[in-house]
Every structure is written in C-alpha cells, then in structure tokens.
Amino acid sequence: MRSASDPLSPPTAANTSVTQIIDGKAIAATIRLEVADHVREHVAAGRRAPSLKVVLLGEDPASASYVRGKNRACAETGIDSETLTYGADLSEADLLQIIRSLNEDASVDGILVQLPLPDHIDEQKVLRAVSPAKDVDCFHPENVGRLVIGEPGFRPATPAGIMELLKRSGVETRGRSAVVIGRSNIVGKPMANLLVQKGIDATVTVCHSRTVDLPAVARSADILIAAIGRAEFVTAEMVKPGAAVIDVGMNRVGDPSRDRGYRLCGDVDFEGVAPIAGWITPVPGGVGPMTIAMLLKNTLFAATGLF
Ligand code: GUN
C-alpha cells in the first residue's frame, strides 16, 4: 500500500517510506475481463461481435509486435480483429481508398492505422480520413475536439489507460499538481486535457524541450507523467517525495550482456526514483498493457456505445 502521507505535504522521512508499484499488467487484465463480459452480453443479445480492422504498412518489428499484441487481446475478449498488411510502398491514394472502403463497410466497427507511417504518406491526411465514428485511436480532429470539451466519446488509449491506473490505484487528482513531460499528439497533449477535465480537477503543466528549469517544474508535481522518449530522463532529484510517477517510455538501450543486445527501459530512472515516489509504474508492465486494454474499450464503444 501507499504511504499514509499526503502527496501535498512537504517532503519528510515519513512520506518516503512506502511505495506502491502500480501493476499495469494486472489492472489491464481486469479491464480485459470487463470488456469480455460486455462483449458476451452484446453477443448474447443477438448482435454480432465488435469488429476491429488494423491497417499496417511495412515490416517495422516494433509496429508488427504491437499489432500482434492488439490482435491477441481482441481474441481474448471476443472482439473480431483482422490486420490488413501492405508493403511500405503503398501509395497514399491507395491507403485513403482502403480507409474509405472500411468506413463504408457496416460490418466494421473500429479502424486503426498503425503509426508511424512511411515518410511519403501524410499522416494527418490519413488520420482525418478515418470516420470519426470508427476512430478507436481518437486521433481524428473531431474526436480530439470532443475530448478537449469533455464530451463523451473515444479517448486516446495511452492517456486513458493512465487515467485508469491513477483511479484504480487510489491516486487523488482533485486540486493536485500534475506535470506532463512531453507534448506529443498521442500522449502529452491529450494527457494534459484529460487531467484538467471537470471531475478530475488537476492543475496541469506541460513541459517540453524549451521549458526553463524542467527539473524544478517536475519536482513541483504530485502526479508526474514522463512521456518524452528519453531513457531514464527523470531522476530522483526531479521527483517530489510521495508523488505518483507514471512512466510512458519504452526505450531500447544497448546492452551487450543480453542475448538480444538491448534492454527495455522507461523515461524514468526506476531504481533511483522508486524509493521516494508514493506510486510508480514499472517498464515493462506499467502503462504498456493499459494501452491495448483501452483500445479494446474504444472498440466496444464503437460497436455498442458502451464504455
Ligand atoms: N503507434 C504507437 N502507438 C500507437 C497508437 O496508440 N496507435 C496507433 N495507431 N499507432 C501507434
């Protein structure tokens, strides 16, 4: 369990004693069971199973591995999923045509175009081509707008997964200071928007490469979200004792002692930060499994209107 202290209280020995390691793998497994229950009910009511189409271009091993994970999780929860794989040389026009036909196909509930796309394709043009009603990534500007104004609808998987981790781990957000390091469209910006919504009520700061004295800003956070893509960037000096530290990073660092030649590490120096944090997510096994779990929730929403 977490420290008995309040993250808003000044750093003292008393609030550095116990750290809760947030088990994203276990929380994601619970969410998959919840989704599977809803899918079962939906099918028992005589409807077809929710259906997701994933569009993958090229053979990037990381993308292929993410997509396999998505398909596995869909199968486990009763969602029909299929990956449509094309060469990295597919033209933008052909990709847009494929998306248009998926938009028009009433047997398809959710469409996900795996990123990154090859350089010759305009990513924004492709993301805008996906019907907002089938946009399980929540990357279409219409859905991003709904998120910003707090309307119900799709939520981007990684930030939504982080909100679930905070909620299910008992991290108080109301009135707390949240600092997001990173301003990407996929994580940083939507994360900040979710944290500031009514009912969540955090006071939010977004840091980036031009932020002056980033370590001091980070140290002011009760909730610190690291999403910069730099291995072990967040060190103990940047963390307020008792803070909730969420690590979105998944970096490959060369390690000749391993068979595969690298090790995976997050954006947080886990060994240094864990002893002073109130809560911390590990890498792997923290945010990563939540991203797929929330994609399943979005696919369920696309098919049923339920969350
Ligand atoms: N590539 C890395 N993360 C994501 C994601 O959340 N969605 C898609 N479509 N591609 C990604």
Side-chain angles (χ1 to χ4, degrees):
M1 293 309 293
R2 66 160 302 246
S3 144
S5 64
D6 182 324
L8 286 182
S9 64
T12 65
N15 63 12
T16 63
S17 54
V18 186
T19 303
Q20 183 179 330
I21 312 287
I22 297 178
D23 187 347
K25 224 169 136 178
I27 296 173
T30 302
I31 291 173
R32 288 199 300 275
L33 289 176
E34 292 167 5
V35 171
D37 279 347
H38 283 299
V39 170
R40 246 191 316 275
E41 280 168 23
H42 183 70
V43 172
R47 316 273 290 275
R48 64 162 172 73
S51 138
L52 172 69
K53 299 287 185 200
V54 177
V55 179
L56 175 65
L57 270 62
E59 290 170 4
D60 172 51
S63 289
S65 155
Y66 284 138
V67 166
R68 275 195 303 276
K70 288 169 185 174
N71 287 331
R72 230 184 351 255
C74 283
E76 191 187 314
T77 47
I79 292 173
D80 275 339
S81 75
E82 186 188 6
T83 300
L84 310 174
T85 306
Y86 302 94
D89 57 352
L90 186 76
S91 73
E92 184 181 280
D94 285 348
L95 177 56
L96 292 171
Q97 184 50 46
I98 289 161
I99 293 170
R100 271 194 293 274
S101 62
L102 293 173
N103 285 343
E104 285 161 16
D105 184 343
S107 72
V108 174
D109 299 306
I111 302 168
L112 182 152
V113 181
Q114 184 65 29
L115 304 179
L117 288 168
D119 288 345
H120 67 278
I121 293 181
D122 179 343
E123 192 171 286
Q124 281 309 317
K125 203 162 159 185
V126 169
L127 298 181
R128 279 168 197 264
V130 174
S131 162
K134 299 188 177 186
D135 173 33
V136 290
D137 263 326
C138 193
F139 289 165
H140 191 287
E142 183 176 319
N143 288 325
V144 176
R146 287 178 189 275
L147 154 75
V148 172
I149 62 177
E151 272 189 17
F154 294 117
R155 294 293 180 259
T158 300
I162 292 169
M163 295 308 297
E164 288 289 332
L165 289 179
L166 296 174
K167 193 162 103 189
R168 294 180 191 232
S169 305
V171 177
E172 178 63 87
T173 53
R174 182 186 291 181
R176 300 300 204 253
S177 153
V179 172
V180 180
I181 311 180
R183 56 176 159 182
S184 71
N185 289 338
I186 295 185
V187 182
K189 286 180 198 161
M191 186 76 250
N193 276 294
L194 288 177
L195 284 162
V196 81
Q197 290 300 321
K198 252 196 161 49
I200 303 298
D201 301 324
T203 302
V204 183
T205 304
V206 181
C207 292
H208 46 75
S209 53
R210 304 283 176 191
T211 297
V212 174
D213 201 357
L214 189 151
V217 180
R219 208 160 42 237
S220 72
D222 303 308
I223 299 165
L224 182 62
I225 316 273
I228 19 173
R230 287 176 59 181
E232 296 174 341
F233 178 84
V234 173
T235 54
E237 308 76 62
M238 296 163 68
V239 175
K240 181 200 278 192
V245 180
I246 306 295
D247 190 348
V248 186
M250 179 62 81
N251 308 290
R252 289 180 178 193
V253 174
D255 184 347
S257 75
R258 312 249 170 155
D259 282 349
R260 58 187 180 185
Y262 66 88
R263 67 186 169 89
L264 288 176
C265 71
D267 291 352
V268 175
D269 167 21
F270 186 89
E271 294 305 318
V273 170
I276 61 163
W279 298 259
I280 189 166
T281 58
V283 175
V287 172
M290 294 299 291
T291 298
I292 292 184
M294 301 313 285
L295 167 69
L296 302 176
K297 276 194 131 185
N298 277 344
T299 306
L300 179 69
F301 176 71
T304 68
L306 286 174
F307 268 115

